[in-house]
Amino acid sequence: MGGAARWRRWRDFAPLAGLTVVVLVGAGLWLGGRRTAADVCWSAAALVTLLVTLRWLLRSLRQRRIGVDVIATLALVSTLLTGEYLAGAVVALMLATGHTLEIYAHGRAGRDLHELLARAPRTAHRRTPDGGIEVVDVDRVRRDDRLLVGPGEVVPVDGRTEEPATLDESIVTGESRLVERVAGDRLASGVVNAGAAFGLRATGTAAESTYAGIVRLAEEANAAKAPMVRLADRYAAAFVPFTLVLAGLAWLVSGEFVRAVAVLVVATPCPLLLATPIAIVSGLSRAARLGVLVRGGGSLELLGRARILLVDKTGTLTAGRPQVDRVAAEPGGDGDEVLRLAASVEQLSTHVLAAAIVDAARDRGLRPVVPGQVTEEPGQGAGGRVDGRLVRVGQHGGDLPEWAVRERDRAESDGLSAVWVSVDGTLAGAVFLRDPVRPDAAATVRRLRQAGFSKLVMVTGDRPQAAGRVARAVGVDDLVARCSPQEKVDRVRAESEHGVTVMVGDGVNDAPALAAAGVGVALGATGATASADIADAVLSVDRLDRLADAVEIARRSRKIAVQSATVGMGLAVVAMVAAAFGLLPPVAGAFLQEGIDVAVILNALRALGGQPRPPDAAPATSSGPPGG
């Protein structure tokens, strides 16, 4: 593999190295008085590069578009026809330099992806029924398998710790400090055991894991083509005719074809071809290093222009780890039985409230059974058959009996969320959960405003009282409570009429709203939920403040891209006019354009740098990815 990588690096940089050698050899021959031999070297460099640009041109024509490849081809042809071999060689060197810088930028931008792939777990240590340990392929791990994670090993799948553990979670969260986890905490795959061996109970397969989701999304982002590249093509559609007309006029008015050659030489627009995509790809790379995986350049651009943010409450502004506060049953009913029935249905759900109900049942020693005929309606709840009875868990659509009204009023005064449990169509009880506001939520909202969001709206399916308490605590501008998935979509569309919107959510019920927003952002890359699959970006770390970092990166990358293209093309136009008036011969124009190209491309590479705000500006509060 090392030899193959070295061969690829040599192959990528060989054209520039070879052309540089040929041009320098030609310069040496010219200084030594062997000008014919020098012209042979320079013309060979131009001719070889001409064959490459012809291939680019034919590819553009097959795609039914005329790009700036036309100018590069005409510049090389004209220098060869007029005997301006040194100018042709410099144009060739300029194109090779731009190509090499593009490869370098893409290589740096893809380095995080390569590191992710290299660290992907491939095997796991699974406990056997007789108490032994077997090494299995990670794809053979199933839900509820008991694993052993040794010192220095990568956690192979998402799961829950069976004992305390010390972990390096930097590959997932971007934070370099070690993290202590206690028994029962949820772990994301991809984190590294930095302490003693510990037991892990798998909560999903490798394909469903956080790490697999991160790798898949990173691959999509790395492969996506930025619209700034297409924008460059649109600029080229106007720039090519302008160049040809100016070159033609310079030739026609002066009668000197060499002026037209000089115009074509300085018009070769590497800044437009390369600077914009380099800046965007660099921005994607920087965002990925902070744990924000953006699917492509289009989403990054929109993120940089976003002004309106809509956020779900549960798991986003709240801790996302609700706990069962109490269970109520109908008069004469059994609270433990209500909890057991609810947990039986909810154990197959990915919603964050479901995980809390299942955990509470197990903590009480209750044994949920495997349900049948399970259904889940986003925003409403789940249902299934348990012990022959039809159990529904979630919202209650009808009128509440007197005992349930009292329980509801008490829960609202305590700030609790209610999950109602019906058995065979009759309300049997309720599970009340508490989900505290994140300690860093208010600071995160302020941070998002600093990043440029002018309006923040909280949309939630929760009750107005509980939602209002959270909204006041964190300082959002507007609140929409008791919001169904369709109502979330409607609100997103309404806000989209006033500017580019970003919707953040982490549950299945958020998926339609994420799809409707300008940029949908899923919190927690579990790789298995509808929200992560539909989202334009995924926060691989359960922290909303990273979205502010991504927005600032997006704005900076777009600014650098536009700056590089406009400044570079502006300088090129000035040089073209000078060439048209005979003030800039082809050789001098070629060297000048080479300098312009290198300067603007290096400026575009600035998008790879810059110091984001410290990762610990807002402390993490979650022990793992959200459940939904």
Side-chain angles (χ1 to χ4, degrees):
M1 180 63 71
R6 284 192 295 272
W7 162 248
R8 283 195 298 271
R9 283 196 297 270
W10 165 248
R11 181 192 61 194
D12 293 337
F13 287 90
L16 177 59
L19 284 172
T20 301
V21 169
V22 171
V23 172
L24 291 177
V25 168
L29 293 171
W30 188 87
L31 291 173
R34 302 176 61 183
R35 300 195 173 186
T36 301
D39 287 342
V40 170
C41 287
W42 293 333
S43 61
L47 183 60
V48 170
T49 307
L50 174 62
L51 297 177
V52 175
T53 62
L54 282 172
R55 188 180 65 180
W56 294 345
L57 179 59
L58 290 174
R59 184 173 56 194
S60 298
L61 292 175
R62 282 197 297 269
Q63 296 172 353
R64 296 184 178 181
R65 62 180 178 85
I66 299 296
V68 288
D69 304 328
V70 174
I71 299 176
T73 302
L74 291 176
L76 290 167
V77 169
S78 62
T79 56
L80 289 172
L81 290 177
T82 57
E84 296 284 351
Y85 301 124
L86 177 56
V90 174
V91 169
L93 195 62
M94 173 174 52
L95 292 170
T97 302
H99 177 70
T100 303
L101 284 172
E102 180 186 30
I103 292 174
Y104 168 73
H106 279 274
R108 279 201 57 180
R111 185 168 57 193
D112 300 283
L113 173 59
H114 298 319
E115 291 177 358
L116 284 171
L117 294 173
R119 293 182 58 163
R122 291 174 173 79
T123 60
H125 293 91
R126 184 169 61 186
R127 299 183 189 272
T128 60
D130 59 3
I133 300 291
E134 61 177 347
V135 179
V136 298
D137 188 274
V138 71
D139 293 331
R140 293 176 55 193
V141 175
R142 295 293 177 261
R143 188 185 300 270
D144 287 330
D145 279 356
R146 296 184 64 224
L147 310 176
L148 182 67
V149 182
E153 289 186 355
V154 177
V155 174
V157 296
D158 292 353
R160 291 184 180 273
T161 60
E162 295 183 323
E163 52 205 300
T166 302
L167 301 162
D168 174 6
E169 300 184 347
S170 59
I171 192 66
V172 174
T173 67
E175 299 178 20
S176 58
R177 63 176 182 266
L178 299 182
V179 179
E180 300 291 336
R181 299 299 182 195
V182 299
D185 275 355
R186 300 167 65 197
L187 296 187
S189 58
V191 303
V192 178
N193 180 11
F198 65 90
L200 180 79
R201 184 175 291 275
T203 57
T205 65
E208 299 168 339
S209 69
T210 297
Y211 202 81
I214 291 173
V215 170
R216 182 172 62 253
L217 290 167
E219 286 175 329
E220 291 177 9
N222 195 60
K225 182 183 181 184
M228 291 294 285
V229 180
R230 294 191 291 271
L231 181 62
D233 291 338
R234 290 199 298 272
Y235 282 148
F239 187 74
V240 169
F242 170 75
T243 300
L244 297 179
V245 169
L246 183 61
L249 287 175
W251 183 13
L252 181 64
V253 173
S254 68
E256 299 177 13
F257 182 60
V258 71
R259 292 195 184 186
V261 174
V263 170
L264 293 172
V265 166
V266 296
T268 308
C270 281
L272 197 56
L273 280 171
L274 303 177
T276 48
I278 285 173
I280 294 298
V281 171
S282 300
L284 293 174
S285 173
R286 282 199 63 216
R289 292 202 298 270
L290 290 178
V292 184
L293 299 163
V294 186
R295 288 190 188 272
S299 299
L300 191 76
E301 284 190 84
L302 283 175
L303 196 59
R305 294 193 288 115
R307 292 293 182 272
I308 303 169
L309 177 65
L310 300 97
V311 295
D312 184 41
K313 176 180 73 69
T314 303
T316 307
L317 295 174
T318 59
R321 290 184 294 164
Q323 296 179 340
V324 172
D325 185 85
R326 58 187 174 85
V327 180
E330 63 180 333
D334 182 359
D336 283 350
E337 178 64 8
V338 169
L339 182 60
R340 186 187 73 87
L341 292 174
S344 297
V345 172
E346 294 281 49
Q347 63 186 327
L348 298 182
S349 174
T350 59
H351 196 279
V352 64
L353 297 180
I357 292 173
V358 174
D359 289 345
R362 288 173 175 165
D363 290 343
R364 296 189 186 188
L366 306 176
R367 296 180 62 85
V369 299
V370 178
Q373 302 176 13
V374 176
T375 60
E376 183 168 4
E377 186 177 350
Q380 299 299 317
R385 288 202 170 273
V386 181
D387 299 333
R389 293 175 289 177
L390 180 60
V391 178
R392 292 285 307 171
V393 183
Q395 294 188 15
H396 185 69
D399 294 331
L400 294 174
E402 184 178 346
W403 68 268
V405 172
R406 290 195 302 269
E407 293 290 349
R408 181 198 62 191
D409 293 343
R410 178 187 168 192
E412 288 181 353
S413 66
D414 293 339
L416 304 179
S417 297
V419 176
W420 300 99
V421 183
S422 300
V423 179
D424 291 331
T426 301
L427 191 63
V431 181
F432 297 101
L433 302 100
R434 184 183 303 278
D435 187 16
V437 177
R438 290 175 182 257
D440 62 313
T444 296
V445 168
R446 290 194 297 271
R447 173 83 175 83
L448 290 165
R449 293 191 191 281
Q450 292 170 1
F453 287 108
S454 57
K455 184 176 183 180
L456 280 79
V457 182
M458 189 175 80
V459 289
T460 177
D462 207 349
R463 297 164 292 106
Q465 294 88 342
R469 188 177 291 107
V470 174
R472 289 189 296 273
V474 302
V476 296
D477 298 308
D478 199 0
L479 164 67
V480 185
R482 293 197 185 278
C483 195
S484 68
Q486 181 58 50
E487 289 170 336
K488 286 185 181 181
V489 171
D490 293 341
R491 184 56 186 259
V492 168
R493 288 175 176 165
E495 294 293 347
S496 297
E497 296 178 0
H498 306 293
V500 177
T501 56
V502 175
M503 170 70 194
V504 182
D506 73 334
V508 174
N509 60 318
D510 297 321
L514 296 182
V519 181
V521 180
L523 199 65
T526 58
T529 66
S531 58
D533 289 339
I534 263 178
D536 302 295
V538 174
L539 304 181
S540 65
V541 54
D542 190 13
R543 284 176 45 175
L544 189 59
D545 65 309
R546 291 295 173 85
L547 177 61
D549 293 328
V551 169
E552 290 178 346
I553 289 171
R555 290 197 175 130
R556 183 171 184 269
S557 298
R558 189 173 187 275
K559 179 181 178 181
I560 290 174
V562 173
Q563 178 190 79
S564 298
T566 54
V567 171
M569 298 310 298
L571 292 174
V573 169
V574 172
M576 290 163 61
V577 172
F581 280 95
L583 303 176
L584 198 64
V587 173
F591 279 108
L592 177 61
Q593 184 61 42
E594 173 79 354
I596 294 172
D597 290 343
V598 172
V600 296
I601 291 173
L602 290 176
N603 182 65
L605 286 172
R606 289 193 301 117
L608 280 170
Q611 292 298 322
R613 292 174 185 255
D616 55 355
T621 58
S622 175
S623 62

